[in-house]
Structure formats: C-alpha cells, structure tokens
Amino acid sequence: MEALAERLSHLDTHVQGAIRVVTFYDTLMRRRVDLPALARASAALAECVAGIRLHGTARAIRMAPDGREAPAPSAPASSTAPVVLDEEEIGSVWLERPGPPGPLDEVLLDRLAIAAAAVAERYGPARTTMADPALVELVVSPDCDEAARARALRLLGFAADLPLRVVALRSRVPLDRIGGLVCPARPVKAATLADVGVILATTVDADRFPADVRAGIGAADSPDRSWREARTALRFTTARRPVVHHDDLGALALLARIPEDAARDNADVAAIARIAGNPEDLETLDAYCATGSLRRAADCLHLHHSSVARRLEQIGRTLGIELTEPTGLLRARLALTAWRLLDD
C-alpha cells in the first residue's frame, strides 16, 4: 500500500507539472507571440537551450535560458518533436539539455510544436531567401490542389492577395544572392528543383540579374502555369539574350511544342546542325539573325562588314537559304531557334 501511495504521489506531481506546462503555452498563444519569443519563453521554462526550425526558412532559432540567442555551435538535441500543420510536417523543435531529458520535456516539446505551428500559420516564416524545395514544388506543381498550394504559399510567407512571378534559371551564382538582387524589397523565395533553379517573387527586376545567368520569367497568374512558361522561356535564352520574358516570345513559344523528331527531320534544322561544328560560322549566323543587319552583325563580331558578308554567303550556300532575303532570314532564325531547343 505504501508503494502504491508513493507511485500515485509521483504521478500527481507529474500531472500537475504537465498542466502547468499546458497553461503556460496557452497563455503564450493568447498573447500571439512570434517564433523568437516562443523559443525564448520555452528556454526559460525548460532551463536549457530551446530551438525552432521551419523547413521554409534557412536558419534555426536557438534561445538560451537567460533570454539571449544561444551561442554556436549547437549542442546535440536531448529531445525533439516535429512541427505539424494540416497533417504536413513543416519543421521541428528541440531542447539541448545536458544529460538525459527531463520528466516534462516530452509535454513541453509537444506544446511548443503546437504553438510553433500556430505561429507559422498566422504569420508565415521569417523572411529568408532559400526555401524548402518540397514547399516550392507544391507551389508550382500542376498536380497540386489549390488548398495545398495556398497552404504552401502561406508557409513560404506569401500573402494570398499578392501577385507572384515565377523564374526558372540556370547559374553558378547562388540562388539567394540572385533572389536578393532581382527582388530586394519584397518577399522572395528560391530553391532548386532537379537541375533548374526556381525563384518565387512578388516582383522581378530583369535588369538586375547577374552576368552569366540564364533566366526565363513566367507571366501567368497561376504559379503552376507561370512555372511552365518560365521553363519554356528559359529554353529560348542565349548568350546574347540571357533573360527572356515568356510574354515577349509571342508565337515563337509554339516552337517549344514541336516534337523533337519532327524538328530534327526538318531540312533547315538539319542544315543548322551541320554547320554547328564550326563555331565561327555558328557565331556569325547567330549575330546576323539576332541583329537582322550585316553591318550590325559585323559590329557585334568586331569584324569588317565585307568579311561578314563573305561568311554569310558561304553559310547561305551550306544551308541552301538566301540569307539576304527577308524570307531567308526568317527561315534561318526559326531553324536556329528550333535547333537550340533540341539541345536544351
């Protein structure tokens, strides 16, 4: 009987402690605190470092019991819990307690995770550029239902009533740097899907892309359609035209829908493929097609116009196209573009 009484006494103490923890977090949630304040209060309650990380952000919030940011490097987590919103894991919370977990750590982390999910739903994550690729993929996927897309946008920090531009790009420049340049004062998120970089932004300043970046910019209101347009525009980028707006393609965008076999079998495209082995000829043809003028092409190539004229005459014979005629120039432009799309 004495042993049972002792066990019930310990249980009662644990239950009372758990109730105090629940009440503590209920109070915090009524006060509508943000994530740093939530981590700070949790660290004070647990008397050890408490951390919060949302997948949509690039940093962890770690607070020490004295209310200050915990120093780096972080200690191993003594216990962790997932942050779940609408049945989706959106982050994690943890305690860095020296030694084994405390008797109320599980309850504390459970309430901390619930509170962190409520804060994320209310305010969205802290402003950072790099984002969880899974969330970005939900936003741009054509197979995602609108409720899940809206939830992913909210978790990324985008308000439902804000316009959204989608950019597809390839670059060796870090995506967070590019995002900060093209959208410096408004919400922007970036991630890599497969081998293509993605930037989601409320505005995009195309003139601020760094050199050596190839970028396609979508125009549709729907993120999934804008992503499709951005990828199409990316395929049309060249060294002379590294940034392409889908809207500017007009009817040229139809070339991206031509089956590859049909394009390869076209006589003009096959002729371009034959001269592609000579970089000098390809560069000359590209400059002429881009400018539409013999003299402007010569200026681009830093050559005398007579030299360019001789090259174009030879290229025209190889292609079987009279390049100086408007129809011939149009054929060459279309064939060169279609050939490039094959190599994309």
Side-chain angles (χ1 to χ4, degrees):
M1 182 65 71
E2 291 179 359
L4 178 58
E6 183 179 357
R7 288 174 59 191
L8 289 175
S9 173
H10 288 313
L11 179 60
D12 185 58
T13 301
H14 180 79
V15 169
Q16 289 180 3
I19 292 174
R20 286 196 296 271
V21 170
V22 171
T23 302
F24 177 84
Y25 280 101
D26 285 347
T27 302
L28 288 177
M29 292 171 71
R30 283 196 299 271
R31 292 177 179 173
R32 304 171 74 88
V33 298
D34 59 11
L35 291 179
L38 188 59
R40 185 178 297 109
S42 300
L45 178 64
E47 298 182 334
C48 68
V49 172
I52 302 173
R53 178 186 288 110
L54 298 184
H55 296 329
T57 69
R59 72 181 185 94
I61 300 171
R62 296 174 59 248
M63 291 296 178
D66 62 2
R68 302 177 182 178
E69 289 192 13
S74 60
S78 57
S79 50
T80 64
V83 178
V84 178
L85 180 63
D86 295 339
E87 300 182 354
E88 178 185 350
E89 185 174 327
I90 64 169
S92 61
V93 295
W94 68 92
L95 297 177
E96 299 174 19
R97 186 183 300 284
L104 293 175
D105 283 2
E106 183 177 354
V107 177
L108 189 152
L109 282 176
D110 179 64
R111 300 305 298 182
L112 174 56
I114 292 172
V119 173
E121 184 174 31
R122 186 180 302 125
Y123 299 115
R127 279 200 60 188
T128 58
T129 299
M130 297 309 295
D132 179 10
L135 286 178
V136 174
E137 188 168 14
L138 277 175
V139 170
V140 301
S141 172
D143 301 322
C144 181
D145 64 79
E146 291 308 311
R149 195 189 318 278
R151 183 169 62 247
L153 283 169
R154 185 176 67 244
L155 292 174
L156 289 170
F158 292 101
D161 57 346
L162 286 179
L164 188 68
R165 304 300 296 272
V166 183
V167 181
L169 67 160
R170 289 192 174 94
S171 172
R172 295 181 180 179
V173 180
L175 288 178
D176 56 346
R177 180 186 164 201
I178 298 173
L181 287 172
V182 301
C183 187
R186 302 288 295 277
V188 57
K189 294 292 179 181
T192 300
L193 300 183
D195 62 338
V196 180
V198 187
I199 288 179
L200 306 177
T202 51
T203 60
V204 175
D205 186 345
D207 295 330
R208 294 176 63 89
F209 280 102
D212 300 326
V213 171
R214 299 285 185 93
I217 303 174
D221 293 334
S222 172
D224 58 320
R225 291 197 300 272
S226 186
W227 171 234
R228 184 172 63 247
E229 291 178 352
R231 284 182 298 161
T232 297
L234 178 62
R235 296 179 64 192
F236 284 86
T237 59
T238 67
R240 298 182 189 279
R241 193 185 182 191
V243 179
V244 174
H245 288 262
H246 186 270
D247 274 355
D248 293 339
L249 290 174
L252 285 175
L254 297 174
L255 290 176
R257 301 185 183 183
I258 297 176
E260 287 194 5
D261 289 344
R264 292 185 193 280
D265 290 342
N266 180 268
D268 288 353
V269 177
I272 294 291
R274 287 196 298 271
I275 72 165
N278 187 327
E280 186 178 89
D281 285 351
L282 193 62
E283 184 181 19
T284 301
L285 181 62
D286 176 57
Y288 181 61
C289 287
T291 61
S293 162
L294 179 62
R295 291 188 178 275
R296 288 201 296 271
D299 290 340
C300 290
L301 297 169
H302 305 292
L303 295 171
H304 194 274
H305 67 273
S306 61
S307 299
V308 175
R310 286 194 296 272
R311 287 188 187 181
L312 288 175
E313 184 180 358
Q314 178 60 43
I315 293 169
R317 285 198 294 268
T318 302
L319 297 178
I321 298 174
E322 180 51 66
L323 294 175
T324 58
E325 295 293 331
T327 301
L329 177 59
L330 177 60
R331 284 175 57 186
R333 282 174 170 166
L334 291 175
L336 184 59
T337 301
W339 174 78
R340 284 193 175 119
L341 292 176
L342 292 175
D343 287 345
D344 183 70

